[in-house]
Amino acid sequence: MSFNKQNHNPLAQKTASAQVEAALARLTNEDTKLGERLINAAVAGAVVARQPADTMLRAEAAEAWNSIKLVIASHLSSEEDVVLPWMKSQQNFPPDLILRTCEQHTRLRELARTVDAASFTTGSNEAVTKAGTALTAFAVCLDDLIDGEERDLFPMIQRTLFGESNGAGV
């Protein structure tokens, strides 16, 4: 979907804005649900990285990863497929917020690949240590991303959307 071409078509612009608004509501809800799971993932990753031979800790780390893995995959895709293209299409949207979001997504995807590359249940101690460390880093990075979204990104998107809807009628 190309948002840049839609800027010249008011109907397409309203449709894109509605999609972003719906995505923003969904993402905010997902951010809230992920809060406690991130703490559990960070702790489980750190503990299993220090004691990779412990089967209970391995199971807890696997459970923590599985509890956030599906939510975050859809979360990142929604931001990358709907929100980021829209942000890039807005003339006055702060480029630093776009860049920071892209960099954090890249980092999260790299960490997720590292966690997914190992099995917490059957992997070697070395692989579990690496995956546990990556899981902790993933949880911390995601927590930072969510904080930045709530503090900077989502309010800027709302201001831009609000300005669009009010500016069209004035």
Side-chain angles (χ1 to χ4, degrees):
M1 181 178 299
S2 175
F3 286 98
N4 287 328
K5 293 179 184 174
Q6 293 176 351
N7 281 338
H8 300 296
N9 179 340
L11 181 59
Q13 202 171 6
K14 285 187 182 213
T15 301
S17 294
Q19 288 175 332
V20 169
E21 204 168 347
L24 190 62
R26 193 173 52 255
L27 293 168
T28 300
N29 186 39
E30 288 172 359
D31 285 351
T32 302
K33 289 179 182 178
L34 284 169
E36 185 178 321
R37 294 178 190 178
L38 293 179
I39 293 168
N40 292 340
V43 170
V47 172
V48 79
R50 279 188 240 117
Q51 298 175 19
D54 188 314
T55 56
M56 288 292 284
L57 296 178
R58 285 173 173 242
E60 289 173 9
E63 183 179 337
W65 175 240
N66 289 331
S67 77
I68 60 175
K69 181 180 176 177
L70 292 178
V71 174
I72 197 58
S74 131
H75 189 92
L76 293 176
S77 292
S78 180
E79 286 185 0
E80 292 165 0
D81 296 343
V82 177
V83 179
L84 274 168
W86 178 85
M87 289 166 39
K88 291 174 181 178
S89 76
Q90 302 302 301
Q91 289 180 343
N92 295 324
F93 207 90
D96 61 312
L97 289 179
I98 296 169
L99 180 62
R100 182 173 69 194
T101 301
C102 291
E103 288 174 347
Q104 287 174 318
H105 281 219
T106 299
R107 177 75 173 135
L108 284 170
R109 290 198 183 279
E110 290 170 2
L111 290 166
R113 279 191 294 275
T114 301
V115 176
D116 276 338
S119 167
F120 283 110
T121 54
T122 61
S124 68
N125 287 347
E126 183 180 327
V128 169
T129 297
K130 186 175 180 180
T133 301
L135 177 57
T136 299
F138 181 93
V140 170
C141 185
L142 182 55
D143 189 56
D144 288 346
L145 173 71
I146 290 170
D147 284 347
E149 287 176 347
E150 292 173 357
R151 182 187 60 247
D152 303 320
L153 184 64
F154 290 174
M156 177 56 73
I157 291 171
Q158 290 172 335
R159 283 192 297 274
T160 303
L161 287 168
F162 182 70
E164 274 183 12
S165 63
N166 279 349
V170 174

